[in-house]
Amino acid sequence: MHEFSLAQNIIEIVDDTLKQHGAHQAKEIELEIGTLSGVEISALEMALESLKPGTIIENTKVKLIITKAKAICRNCKNEYFPEDLFSPCPKCSGYGPEIISGKELLVKSIVAE
Amino acid sequence: MCDTCGCGSEHDSFTLHKVNETTEHVHEHRHDHENHHHSHTDVDKKVLNVETDILFKNNLLAERNRGFFEAKNIRVFNLVSSPGSGKTTLLEKLIEQLKPSMKVYVIEGDQQTSNDAKRIETAGANAIQINTGNGCHLDAHMINHAVKALDPEENSLLFIENVGNLICPALFDLGENTRVVIASTTEGEDKPLKYPGMFQSSQICVLNKIDLLPYLDFNPEKFIANLKKVVPGQPLFQLSAKTGKDLEKLTDKLLS
């Protein structure tokens, strides 16, 4: 359940950012999570929900942007959307593509007030 | 706030144990908002573009660890596997082989007990145990503290035995030079497919317990084929830590 550690990191990032900007509340936060990031979305949501009480994000709406994985085959340069970390290229069946997106793990923005 | 490294995060508490020492450093971060003094002047609602990696602090600390290791010429290996793959036995054998030529240190990560650190010290390396409590992985912050307590000499080797778990440790850079993933013949041949994140984040793969092959249905060729699907070209060392078969190939690689 590394999602709990990640949720703690998120709270910390929000806390630090609000302080830096002299804001005291986060109305909404936007997270970007790639489908190949190694994060179980439902586990992260659960971790955030259970850690929320008593923290800076207690009353914050959490918006998740799920980024679909995109890869380029190293053999034939075909661009495709892998389902998992070892989906072969649909064109040449090559393995080990270059992942262009899908590994994102970001606090993207905070609506502060 | 942690007074050693100045970090202000609220990690799970963890404890460090040196073998044969009763002192332990309990490190617990608290996050208490009652003590915050916010200036309650009205601030307009605004969108702050943060774009910060959720693992940013861990990665920063990992780089700090890496810089320390580099300056002291300490080569660091992070050993990851599921529980029971034979990591500790492999470490005992590696220590036996390596200690005549180099000083070897070990950071042991487990949820509970100092059993592994004791085994390692018996094998002849200086060891420190991190008990992660409820944590399922080691992080760069824990390593930062453990290394300070271990105080390794220059020109040495440091092995970090991560918590037995093929999922969570994959995301956490510790500042190591090389991550070594260990599977064994008593597990399924599809381990690389089931836990691709861990295999992809590693630079070396070890298949342990090959001495048991005559008694098992495990087909190494299938394992190799699966590994190739997940990480084409990853160096694989098939060995038996118990009998020592082909262990020197791995030690040669680690020292190369």
Side-chain angles (χ1 to χ4, degrees), chain A residues 37-94:
Chain A
S37 64
V39 169
E40 189 57 44
I41 305 287
S42 58
L44 181 63
E45 283 175 326
M46 195 188 82
L48 280 167
E49 276 310 311
S50 59
L51 289 175
K52 261 182 173 185
T55 73
I56 198 85
I57 65 159
E58 183 157 16
N59 300 309
T60 304
K61 189 181 163 199
V62 180
K63 236 172 97 178
L64 284 175
I65 303 171
I66 313 294
T67 310
K68 206 175 163 185
K70 204 168 161 188
I72 297 182
C73 175
R74 289 183 208 271
N75 303 325
C76 72
K77 306 292 172 206
N78 174 40
E79 214 173 280
Y80 66 106
F81 302 98
E83 289 288 307
D84 48 46
L85 283 169
F86 51 89
S87 299
C89 169
K91 214 166 150 190
C92 74
S93 305

Side-chain angles (χ1 to χ4, degrees), chain B residues 126-141:
Chain B
N126 287 8
I128 191 154
Q129 180 83 46
I130 301 176
N131 284 144
T132 57
N134 293 321
C136 49
H137 59 270
L138 296 177
D139 63 29
H141 179 239

Side-chain angles (χ1 to χ4, degrees), chain A residues 88-107:
Chain A
C89 169
K91 214 166 150 190
C92 74
S93 305
Y95 285 104
E98 187 190 338
I99 305 288
I100 335 171
S101 71
K103 295 239 176 189
E104 295 77 5
L105 211 50
L106 294 172
V107 177

